[in-house]
Amino acid sequence: SASSAALPMTGATKERGLGFDDLTPMLRAGARGLDQASVPVTAAEWLEDLRHRMARRLQRAWHIFSARRAKRRRAAASILTRHCEAIRSALFRAALARLRAHSCAVAEAAATEVSRRVRGWLARRHGARRLARHRALAACDRRARRRLGVRALGAWRGRVARAGLWRSLPSSLLRRAPPVELFWRRFPTDGKFAVAAAQRRWALSRRALCAWAGALAEP
């Protein structure tokens, strides 16, 4: 075409961003073609082609910039994600440490409270047992003293009764007469001498018994 003849294109052109170094051959070709009669058409095509090339360059630069920006964003996002993960892990570990310390403190407080209550319960139980044992011993002591008092009183009453009997025994023995009829029945053939001897022995026995009873009646 006329545009390709007026503006020759080479495949070895190097693109460097938005620079205009590779546009020099085109400008030279356009300057050589100013003498021809088709200058307005060639210039219009040249400008159109230049706009297309500039548009492609801009698109390529934009794509490169977008790719680099996306790559930088991905790298920044990866770094930020790693930092966030590290911070989250540190916070999680710190929260676990605080939770562990709080749980240990709560467990120690609970154990202290439980041990205090158990010691109080054991002390109250021991005190109640000691009080019950003291009351039982006191009741047993009272019963023992009561039994001892009853026994002592019974012994005293028996002693007083026996002492009264021993004191009254001499007078009752002295008031009793010798059993003469019994002596005559036992000694029917011996006569008066046997009866008198029996009376004498009975009187001596009564005197000895009265003396013994008087000695026992003395306190």
Side-chain angles (χ1 to χ4, degrees):
S1 62
S3 60
S4 61
L7 298 173
M9 302 294 292
T10 60
T13 304
K14 296 181 181 180
E15 298 180 355
R16 299 183 182 87
L18 296 177
F20 294 96
D21 295 338
D22 51 349
L23 296 179
T24 303
M26 297 172 61
L27 295 175
R28 290 176 180 176
R32 286 195 301 269
L34 291 176
D35 298 334
Q36 300 178 3
S38 61
V39 171
V41 178
T42 303
E45 292 178 355
W46 178 73
L47 290 175
E48 184 67 23
D49 187 33
L50 182 61
R51 282 195 296 269
H52 287 307
R53 290 172 63 86
M54 293 298 293
R56 285 195 299 272
R57 286 173 179 269
L58 288 174
Q59 289 178 358
R60 184 173 178 276
W62 174 253
H63 290 319
I64 293 173
F65 172 74
S66 299
R68 289 178 179 176
R69 184 178 62 179
K71 184 177 180 180
R72 288 194 299 270
R73 286 184 176 179
R74 286 193 298 270
S78 177
I79 295 172
L80 185 61
T81 302
R82 287 197 298 271
H83 282 289
C84 289
E85 288 293 334
I87 292 172
R88 186 173 64 182
S89 299
L91 292 176
F92 183 70
R93 288 193 296 271
L96 284 180
R98 288 195 298 270
L99 182 61
R100 188 181 298 108
H102 181 68
S103 62
C104 290
V106 170
E108 289 179 359
T112 303
E113 183 67 20
V114 169
S115 62
R116 185 180 66 83
R117 291 181 179 273
V118 169
R119 286 195 300 270
W121 177 74
L122 290 176
R124 290 192 296 271
R125 185 179 180 183
H126 183 65
R129 286 183 176 178
R130 290 184 60 183
L131 181 60
R133 185 166 57 252
H134 178 70
R135 290 178 177 175
L137 289 176
C140 182
D141 188 28
R142 287 194 298 269
R143 288 193 298 269
R145 290 182 179 181
R146 187 180 299 111
R147 286 194 299 267
L148 182 61
V150 170
R151 289 178 182 176
L153 182 60
W156 178 78
R157 291 180 61 181
R159 184 176 179 181
V160 169
R162 286 192 300 273
L165 289 176
W166 287 116
R167 281 193 300 268
S168 62
L169 182 60
S171 58
S172 63
L173 289 175
L174 291 175
R175 285 195 299 269
R176 292 181 62 180
V180 180
E181 296 179 358
L182 179 63
F183 292 156
W184 280 107
R185 284 196 299 269
R186 287 191 176 183
F187 307 106
T189 60
D190 294 335
K192 295 181 180 180
F193 293 101
V195 174
Q199 288 181 355
R200 183 174 178 275
R201 285 194 299 270
W202 184 85
L204 291 176
S205 299
R206 183 180 63 179
R207 185 178 297 177
L209 185 59
C210 289
W212 179 66
L216 291 178
E218 292 179 359

